[in-house]
Amino acid sequence: MPTALITGASSGIGREFADQLAAQGHDLVIVARREPELLQVKSEIETANQVSVEILVADLNDRAQLQTVADRLADQSRPIDVLVNNAGFGLAKPFLDNPVEDEERLLNVLVRATLVLSHAAGNAMRGRKTGRIINVSSVAGWMASGTYAAAKSWVTVFSESLAGQLSGTGVTVTAVCPGFVHTDFHSSGDIDRSSTPDFMWVPLKDVVSEGLAAADKGKTISVPGAQYKVLTTLLRAAPRPLIRSRRIASTHRNQE
């Protein structure tokens, strides 16, 4: 039975990845900071599916705890077939209004953790000549809206680069780039999205199912939702001064 490791698996997009991968018959290794939530997810998933769920309690901002997850990915005696780098959060205030420690923590979780875990998984999977790495990025990565957008831009470009390096090895890398999704992402970051139009929201199940389908096909970029496929096409073609405009940047800060 294949095994998937998912970071940020206790809620939101990560939990949906866990549910859908378990339904497909994957055993799971679920990673998050709080053990009670992980134990609840483990119980619910094992009750609903004939799979085994292992929990790893880790704060990915902490380098030593991050290494524990990397070591699990590198363990060839217990191979991980699918890695989902999903853990993340947003900050409600502009860059200069946040404590620099919060900005560093954001980069550690969104960027450093993705880099370290992809390195561990990529080497292990390349050795076995099979595997999938799925990095949850964001439509915000094509915008200029603070550290979050910059971090997600890195995740997308990094995924494209790693996919190219692993071409022909049997290992694929997919960046899933959602727009607005109904999860606890915004409330946990004290981010108000009450004025966002209904048509801009993509169902959580669709984000994950489209991302998994793209990974199954070996696609490098997945943008769930027709509206965001159009938007990202326009963003890639738009002049950078327009992308840098304050109004657009503030409107689309923190997408997930």
Side-chain angles (χ1 to χ4, degrees):
M1 186 174 287
T3 302
L5 186 148
I6 305 159
T7 68
S10 60
S11 63
I13 291 176
R15 171 61 194 269
E16 185 63 27
F17 266 109
D19 285 338
Q20 293 196 25
L21 284 165
Q24 292 178 7
H26 290 72
D27 287 334
L28 302 178
V29 180
I30 55 175
V31 182
R33 291 181 298 155
R34 292 179 289 271
E35 185 174 31
E37 285 88 341
L38 286 175
L39 289 171
Q40 180 67 29
V41 173
K42 171 183 170 68
S43 175
E44 292 173 357
I45 289 179
E46 288 184 338
T47 298
N49 306 273
Q50 293 183 331
V51 299
S52 172
V53 180
E54 173 187 345
I55 69 170
L56 272 180
V57 180
D59 180 352
L60 301 185
N61 179 51
D62 183 293
R63 187 60 182 81
Q65 295 183 46
L66 173 62
Q67 189 60 44
T68 298
V69 184
D71 291 344
R72 178 65 182 85
L73 287 162
D75 187 350
Q76 293 285 34
S77 67
R78 298 181 296 161
I80 299 295
D81 303 281
V82 181
L83 165 64
V84 181
N85 279 310
N86 166 75
F89 62 94
L91 299 172
K93 297 177 182 178
F95 171 68
L96 293 178
D97 295 336
N98 291 317
V100 71
E101 294 82 5
D102 288 349
E103 294 285 347
E104 289 180 305
R105 183 166 56 93
L106 183 144
L107 285 179
N108 285 342
V109 175
L110 270 64
V111 173
R112 186 180 68 180
T114 298
L115 181 150
V116 170
L117 299 185
S118 294
H119 191 271
N123 275 305
M125 291 174 178
R126 183 174 61 177
R128 298 193 304 271
K129 296 182 172 57
T130 184
R132 287 181 289 163
I133 297 173
I134 300 172
N135 294 325
V136 177
S137 188
S138 174
V139 167
W142 283 287
M143 302 175 186
S145 53
T147 314
Y148 180 84
K152 289 303 189 181
S153 178
W154 182 92
V155 170
T156 300
V157 175
F158 169 74
S159 300
E160 292 179 293
S161 173
L162 185 57
Q165 293 176 39
L166 289 171
S167 178
T169 67
V171 183
T172 64
V173 183
T174 302
V176 179
C177 304
F180 291 118
V181 186
H182 283 298
T183 69
D184 62 358
F185 177 88
H186 298 105
S187 59
S188 64
D190 196 25
I191 301 164
D192 182 11
R193 285 297 171 214
S194 59
S195 62
T196 302
D198 288 345
F199 75 89
M200 293 299 290
W201 296 90
V202 179
L204 178 58
K205 289 183 181 296
D206 293 352
V207 169
V208 172
S209 63
E210 287 192 36
L212 288 174
D216 286 344
K217 295 174 183 177
K219 292 184 177 180
T220 305
I221 302 289
S222 170
V223 180
Q227 67 274 52
Y228 287 107
K229 289 179 175 63
V230 172
L231 176 61
T232 54
T233 299
L234 294 174
L235 286 171
R236 293 180 204 187
R240 291 307 295 176
L242 176 61
I243 300 302
R244 291 192 296 267
S245 73
R246 185 181 182 89
R247 183 177 62 83
I248 290 181
S250 62
T251 298
H252 294 284
R253 183 180 291 118
N254 299 323
Q255 294 283 321
E256 292 171 9

